[in-house]
Amino acid sequence: MTGFRSELLRTFAARGFIHQCTDPEALDALAAAKPVTAYVGFDCTADSLHIGHLVSIMMLRHLQRHGHKAIALVGGGTTKVGDPSGKDESRQLLSEAQIEANKAGIQASLAKFLDFDGDTAILVDNAEWLDRLLYIPFLRDFGTHFTINRMLTFDSVRLRLEREQPLTLLEFNYMVMQAYDFLELSRRYGCVLQMGGSDQWGNIVNGVELGRRVDGRHLFGLTTPLITTASGQKMGKTAQGAVWLDATKRTAFEYWQFWRNTEDADVGRFLRLFTELPLDEIARLEALEGAELNEAKKVLAYEATRLCHGVDAAEAAAAAARAVFEGAGEGIEGLPVVECDAARLAAGLPFIELLFLSGLAASNSDARRLVRGGGARLNDERVDDETLVVDMDALRGGHLKLSAGKKRHVLVRPV
């Protein structure tokens, strides 16, 4: 899939976004001739998106920047069912109130990357049509276009059955609902392209075929490769959990630091996928070696943080990192802040408990292991005494600086 004529698909290909496409030649011709409308779906399973969604979000951003129309579809309807793709067990069903709260958080995440003020990007909720469906008429009109034989071949179904893990009728309907979403979006908004991760290929193809069979529409599907690190880890998975896009769940400094810790072999690929730097500049950065490659990682961290949290937050995170790791003498205001009860601190708090309260240790036992291993620090001084009690006398500039190893730091401020 090279030699595209359209600027959109050339960009997607050059930056590494394309894994599979149902009809690349026809899609390329269409995108070269006129603006196309494309969508990505996001179920409302949490109140923020995370960097596992970032490849799809960046595709929508490129789509909008190249003069096409982006639809971000939030699954107010499909979340009530649960997508079995890539899951070993059924998702917990959420209440209507939870879904609405998550929907608002997802919209805030998407607004960091997409401009919803004009007419080149819109947010749509599939509950608009799914909540109104009548079960028997829906089965009669669309159920005949899906065979159980074929649905059993999809990985999302096959793997669950091979492991003898239950797959409910509710989940089994998910792929039918997603296919119907594509049909509705094509009818309502002229949407011709659905994009998503490689695990969505079967669901996307279902939608392409449903549009052809029911309305005679020529629709397209495009998936992105599964993004793993050079060491084989799933992108965005850390010991501390998901890397959220919401600053209240993952601070700008922590977000910056995640990208700064990128493996050497991933720097060029992540610059292409997760920043908007020109490709020739990325090639220059990717060619750096040794200690100079750390500068490329800082560029990656800054550009990725700027897109998600804004210029001011990216600059503050970079300044905090310089102060912490390079002794640059700048402020450390960009570090994560945890508040503690001033009265408790005045009375004296065990250092072990502070490590736990700050989130640097998962438990008091974990905190003790951290101290015994020599990785715990208070105000940049190593702590070896598990029985240490900390009080107001330890404050420096109104806060305590706690560290776990060389890369995790938190400010504790009494309130």
Side-chain angles (χ1 to χ4, degrees):
M1 289 184 285
T2 58
F4 290 119
R5 291 188 297 134
S6 67
E7 187 178 0
L8 177 66
L9 290 194
R10 285 202 305 270
T11 297
F12 281 172
R15 290 186 173 268
F17 287 105
I18 301 178
H19 178 58
Q20 296 164 297
C21 187
T22 55
D23 190 348
E25 293 79 10
L27 177 59
D28 182 41
L30 183 64
K34 64 179 184 179
V36 300
T37 300
Y39 93 95
V40 174
F42 305 92
D43 274 342
C44 305
T45 52
D47 60 0
S48 171
L49 298 179
H50 53 73
I51 64 168
H53 300 104
L54 203 50
V55 171
S56 294
I57 295 173
M58 290 300 294
M59 290 183 78
L60 288 175
R61 184 176 171 91
H62 283 296
L63 190 89
Q64 185 178 34
R65 294 182 74 218
H66 283 87
H68 302 277
K69 184 170 184 176
I71 298 177
L73 181 71
V74 292
T78 43
T79 303
K80 299 169 186 174
V81 173
D83 183 4
S85 300
K87 302 294 180 294
D88 291 333
E89 57 186 20
S90 300
R91 278 179 171 164
Q92 180 182 358
L93 295 182
L94 304 179
S95 68
E96 294 273 1
Q98 288 174 308
I99 290 174
E100 283 301 310
N102 290 348
K103 175 181 165 184
I106 288 171
Q107 183 173 2
S109 293
L110 290 168
K112 296 170 179 283
F113 298 89
L114 302 174
D115 180 7
F116 291 110
D117 291 336
D119 59 358
T120 56
I122 59 173
L123 189 80
V124 180
D125 184 351
N126 62 15
E128 291 181 20
W129 51 84
L130 293 180
D131 282 359
R132 299 191 180 102
L133 288 177
L134 297 175
Y135 189 60
I136 297 300
F138 181 73
L139 287 180
R140 285 178 58 87
D141 290 343
F142 303 104
T144 56
H145 299 291
F146 299 88
T147 66
I148 298 297
N149 314 59
R150 186 156 186 266
M151 293 166 82
L152 288 173
T153 67
F154 294 148
D155 286 345
S156 59
V157 174
R158 180 177 56 80
L159 294 176
R160 288 272 285 275
L161 297 180
E162 286 178 355
R163 296 168 183 162
E164 297 185 354
Q165 293 161 334
L167 181 71
T168 67
L169 177 62
L170 188 66
E171 293 175 289
F172 204 69
N173 275 278
Y174 186 95
M175 60 187 73
V176 180
M177 296 169 69
Q178 183 170 331
Y180 183 70
D181 281 346
F182 200 177
L183 181 64
E184 276 289 338
L185 289 172
S186 70
R187 289 172 171 177
R188 293 175 180 230
Y189 303 102
C191 182
V192 297
L193 172 63
Q194 180 181 175
M195 304 183 296
S198 57
D199 62 331
Q200 294 295 314
W201 178 248
N203 292 342
I204 291 173
V205 169
N206 274 337
V208 170
E209 294 185 354
L210 185 65
R212 176 179 58 81
R213 291 176 180 178
V214 174
D215 285 356
R217 296 173 184 268
H218 191 179
L219 304 179
F220 304 91
L222 190 155
T223 63
T224 61
L226 175 66
I227 306 299
T228 58
T229 65
S231 59
Q233 290 184 316
K234 189 174 181 181
M235 179 65 180
K237 294 296 183 182
T238 70
Q240 293 75 49
V243 182
W244 301 100
L245 305 185
D246 185 341
T248 65
K249 298 168 75 72
R250 177 76 66 155
T251 67
F253 175 81
E254 292 172 310
Y255 193 82
W256 190 98
Q257 193 60 32
F258 170 83
W259 295 104
R260 170 63 180 82
N261 292 334
T262 295
E263 296 179 41
D264 291 358
D266 291 326
V267 173
R269 183 163 58 109
F270 287 0
L271 281 166
R272 284 187 287 273
L273 288 169
F274 302 117
T275 80
E276 294 174 335
L277 288 176
L279 292 174
D280 55 353
E281 173 63 8
I282 292 173
R284 184 190 71 80
L285 292 167
E286 189 177 16
L288 297 176
E289 297 180 351
E292 288 186 335
L293 188 57
N294 288 328
E295 297 306 312
K297 293 181 182 181
K298 293 175 187 176
V299 172
L300 169 62
Y302 176 82
E303 292 295 328
T305 306
R306 179 183 63 81
L307 284 176
C308 184
H309 296 292
V311 172
D312 291 345
E315 291 180 350
R322 286 193 296 271
V324 171
F325 303 115
E326 301 173 16
E330 299 179 52
I332 55 174
E333 289 77 12
L335 289 178
V337 176
V338 175
E339 296 179 344
C340 75
D341 187 338
R344 290 187 66 194
L345 185 61
L349 266 173
F351 180 64
I352 294 298
E353 188 173 344
L354 274 172
L355 288 173
F356 171 61
L357 292 174
S358 68
L360 292 177
S363 64
N364 286 345
S365 297
D366 187 34
R368 289 190 180 92
R369 285 191 292 269
L370 184 63
V371 171
R372 291 169 190 164
R377 283 175 169 73
L378 171 63
N379 297 329
D380 296 321
E381 296 292 332
R382 175 170 161 171
V383 175
D384 296 310
D385 182 4
E386 295 178 38
T387 65
L388 175 68
V389 174
V390 181
D391 58 24
M392 289 290 193
D393 291 338
L395 292 176
R396 300 291 183 271
H399 62 256
L400 306 171
K401 181 184 175 187
L402 303 185
S403 303
K406 296 181 179 180
K407 296 181 178 179
R408 298 174 58 209
H409 308 272
V410 169
L411 299 182
V412 177
R413 288 178 178 162
V415 293

